[in-house]
Amino acid sequence: VDHCDSNICILVDGSWSAWQGWSACSADCGLGAQSRSRACSNPAPHGGGNMCLGAVTEVQHCFVRPCTVKTHRIAVFSGDGALLFAESGRPSRLLHLYLRFRPLSPTGVLLHRYPMLCERVGCDFVRMALEGGYLVVSAQVTSCSAAVISHTILQTGEWHEVLVTVTGSVVALRVDDSVVKSESPFNCVPSMFDLDQAMRVGERFKGHIQQLAFNFHPKGELSLGGFSPYGVSNVVYETADQEEGWRLAVKPEKKDGLLLYLPQSSGDYVLATLESGKVKVRVKAGAVSTEGDSPEEIGANQWLHVLLNRGAAQVN
């Protein structure tokens, strides 16, 4: 008969405790790693019992947010600078303007369009300006006038996107993808007019302008569809961050159809369709799928401006 201490002779196999929480991600942006651990203590091995089987620590990838990459050029205005553009030479009875900008002051003229040889009082013009933080668009065409104002104040230091449309009957304004659009008819019916005009950008404006589009022609570095400014005064270019994305300008003849399909070899895709007058966007990225649609029904033969980026989709 062998004698032993009962506390030593009892064999107890080890068992894992619950996992601890995941550690903080090792990267503030982009792809990082995090870990969690557990202990062989529930109970711990005893009296020659077996150790726990398996890993003490687990590691996985983590992602907090995208890293900022400053690859987009912006024009920096200090209040006394301007870019001057000549007329395009293509007569037009439609003016459609898209502007992405970040004001640093609640006042200033963003752009002023006018006939090349007539900039005095009484001449035709289209003017977009900040007045006390509100965006005001005014126009005069063959002695007929109209003006619209934004519904809210545009915050300084933040990026804003503006869509302006001027026709022979109305001036329309939409700010930051607002569902509500501001419109004002002309006080008379213009006749024999041409909205192809010279333009001054950034007069008495303090802030940054990243993109300007004129009648659906994108203006990289603020050049107008191949028409670069003929005059630059106290304006510098820098790099800044912006969400990557795709922009579409389409005028569908029907209320149904395919707008955009971007497939990837991995099976991921971006799909934008027009279904019963509404723009529907579907995105698949790995195991994540999402979709959404425009808040308003779009009529046939109406211009659409669709922006798809990493954060959202917007339709104007």
Side-chain angles (χ1 to χ4, degrees):
V1 177
D2 290 332
H3 296 280
C4 65
D5 187 335
S6 60
N7 291 330
I8 298 176
C9 293
I10 297 175
L11 298 180
V12 178
D13 292 333
S15 182
W16 290 113
S17 65
W19 286 103
Q20 295 179 353
W22 288 102
S23 65
C25 192
S26 62
D28 293 333
C29 68
L31 193 64
Q34 59 184 170
S35 63
R36 66 176 183 174
S37 60
R38 57 183 178 176
C40 188
S41 60
N42 187 33
H46 184 71
N50 295 320
M51 291 293 294
C52 300
L53 297 177
V56 176
T57 304
E58 281 188 344
V59 179
Q60 69 176 11
H61 288 299
C62 54
F63 184 83
V64 177
R65 61 180 176 84
C67 291
T68 298
V69 180
K70 295 188 175 183
T71 58
H72 297 267
R73 284 171 63 82
I74 60 173
V76 180
F77 297 81
S78 300
D80 58 353
L83 299 176
L84 303 178
F85 294 88
E87 299 168 344
S88 70
R90 299 188 292 267
S92 176
R93 297 173 68 87
L94 166 71
L95 175 62
H96 185 283
L97 288 170
Y98 166 81
L99 185 67
R100 184 175 191 269
F101 68 102
R102 178 167 56 188
L104 300 180
S105 171
T107 60
V109 180
L110 288 161
L111 61 87
H112 180 203
R113 294 176 61 85
Y114 53 90
M116 193 69 177
L117 300 178
C118 184
E119 197 179 354
R120 64 183 183 276
V121 176
C123 296
D124 290 354
F125 69 87
V126 176
R127 184 176 182 268
M128 183 191 304
L130 284 169
E131 299 182 10
Y134 288 94
L135 189 66
V136 179
V137 179
S138 53
Q140 178 173 296
V141 179
T142 62
S143 300
C144 300
S145 60
V148 292
I149 185 171
S150 61
H151 294 282
T152 59
I153 291 178
L154 276 65
Q155 298 298 317
T156 58
E158 296 183 5
W159 285 103
H160 300 281
E161 293 185 302
V162 174
L163 284 170
V164 174
T165 303
V166 181
T167 67
S169 59
V170 70
V171 175
L173 167 66
R174 192 189 299 271
V175 179
D176 292 335
D177 194 31
S178 172
V179 175
V180 180
K181 178 172 59 176
S182 302
E183 289 186 341
S184 175
F186 281 96
N187 59 1
C188 59
V189 180
S191 61
M192 301 297 292
F193 63 94
D194 183 7
L195 293 173
D196 177 35
Q197 299 169 323
M199 182 167 61
R200 178 183 288 107
V201 176
E203 183 180 15
R204 297 189 298 277
F205 169 68
K206 291 183 180 181
H208 308 143
I209 294 180
Q210 191 275 325
Q211 189 174 12
L212 171 65
F214 165 70
N215 282 2
F216 307 103
H217 294 286
K219 315 306 181 265
E221 295 188 10
L222 298 185
S223 63
L224 297 179
F227 292 87
S228 297
Y230 70 83
V232 179
S233 175
N234 292 331
V235 177
V236 297
Y237 287 94
E238 296 179 355
T239 56
D241 61 290
Q242 181 196 359
E243 295 287 343
E244 298 286 354
W246 301 272
R247 296 183 184 273
L248 297 176
V250 294
K251 187 178 182 181
E253 295 181 355
K254 300 180 180 179
K255 290 188 175 182
D256 297 275
L258 176 66
L259 297 176
L260 174 72
Y261 179 52
L262 295 173
Q264 303 292 323
S265 59
S266 61
D268 297 344
Y269 63 85
V270 176
L271 175 67
T273 58
L274 191 61
E275 301 178 19
S276 300
K278 285 195 172 184
V279 176
K280 291 186 178 292
V281 179
R282 300 176 177 87
V283 178
K284 181 180 182 299
V288 179
S289 297
T290 186
E291 65 177 68
D293 56 17
S294 57
E296 298 177 338
E297 184 174 325
I298 309 300
N301 295 309
Q302 177 180 342
W303 278 106
L304 305 179
H305 180 268
V306 182
L307 169 64
L308 304 174
N309 62 34
R310 290 178 298 183
Q314 68 181 51
V315 181
N316 302 106

